[in-house]
Amino acid sequence: MPVDLDIIDTQLLVYMANEAQPWATEIHDEIIAGERIVFIPRYVATEFYQVMERNRGSPGQDLAWEHLITLSDTPAAVVPHPNRFRVDVDAVRHHATTRTLAARCDMQPKDAPILATAYRLAEFIDAYDPPNHSQDAIPNDPEEFRVKRLLNEIDVDSITSRILTNERDFVGVDLDSVGLEKVSVRRLP
């Protein structure tokens, strides 16, 4: 059974944590209630934490931490633990692969890692078969394995990675035209 797996972008996380928009609060409530299966990549978690710190200082850090902990405790959300999520955001943005994907998809380099993760995750979910086909053989880390475990528990073996964003220009091309048919982008609200 294929399903949409929501991948939250950084701006949406900021809106959710700050309760800035009713639609963002509604999405947060749906995640907490288990109505959405959600994945938050390490890149997004790190960028979110940095944005909250930059915009609000220590209170922003605390709010980001609290928000990530709440989401990581939610059964239908796979989020890196706040103690282990840090990546070098600048290095990821400036990597040759990121710049190439951004140019090919007519998007900003800051968003290309989210698109790349969405594609890799969909491919991984389709292809990964644990040793002896055993649910118990699926490791807990990295987070991609936790997603696979969660999806196996609900009999899902194929996904479309649906990136949820508020940005109008997240991606500037038709994803099917560049061979990313297992990825969709949904602009909110």
Side-chain angles (χ1 to χ4, degrees):
M1 161 177 81
V3 298
D4 288 328
L5 175 84
D6 291 332
I7 297 177
I8 308 292
D9 83 343
T10 306
Q11 185 180 27
L12 183 53
L13 269 179
V14 171
Y15 283 151
M16 288 166 48
N18 289 318
E19 299 178 1
Q21 299 289 331
W23 55 267
T25 304
E26 183 178 319
I27 290 171
H28 181 263
D29 293 344
E30 290 172 359
I31 294 168
I32 300 301
E35 297 170 12
R36 291 177 178 270
I37 302 171
V38 175
F39 179 75
I40 298 178
R42 287 174 184 243
Y43 171 84
V44 170
T46 303
E47 190 179 44
F48 165 64
Y49 190 81
Q50 290 173 348
V51 167
M52 294 295 287
E53 178 183 27
R54 185 176 58 242
N55 291 345
R56 298 180 64 188
S58 289
Q61 285 178 314
D62 294 343
L63 183 58
W65 178 273
E66 183 180 306
H67 191 70
L68 290 171
I69 288 290
T70 299
L71 291 174
S72 70
D73 288 342
T74 302
V78 175
V79 181
H81 190 279
N83 285 336
R84 299 182 301 238
F85 68 81
R86 305 284 194 312
V87 296
D88 185 341
V89 170
D90 288 330
V92 172
R93 287 181 185 163
H94 292 96
H95 193 276
T97 305
T98 301
R99 291 192 322 263
T100 301
L101 180 62
R104 179 73 172 104
C105 292
D106 191 23
M107 65 190 309
Q108 296 179 31
K110 71 177 184 62
D111 296 327
I114 301 168
L115 180 62
T117 298
Y119 180 74
R120 281 192 314 266
L121 189 60
E123 290 290 311
F124 173 76
I125 297 303
D126 284 352
Y128 181 72
D129 185 19
N132 300 321
H133 311 291
S134 168
Q135 178 79 351
D136 294 334
I138 301 174
N140 283 324
D141 285 310
E143 292 80 24
E144 291 81 358
F145 287 108
R146 290 202 321 260
V147 171
K148 180 65 175 175
R149 181 185 301 271
L150 170 65
L151 294 173
N152 281 3
E153 288 171 1
I154 58 173
D155 292 326
V156 172
D157 56 7
S158 180
I159 63 167
T160 296
S161 294
R162 180 173 59 187
I163 299 169
L164 300 182
T165 184
N166 183 251
E167 295 186 36
R168 293 188 190 282
D169 59 349
F170 184 86
V171 64
V173 299
D174 174 26
L175 295 174
D176 289 339
S177 71
V178 292
L180 299 178
E181 61 277 342
K182 293 184 179 192
V183 178
S184 66
V185 177
R186 181 169 172 223
R187 186 178 176 281
L188 301 168

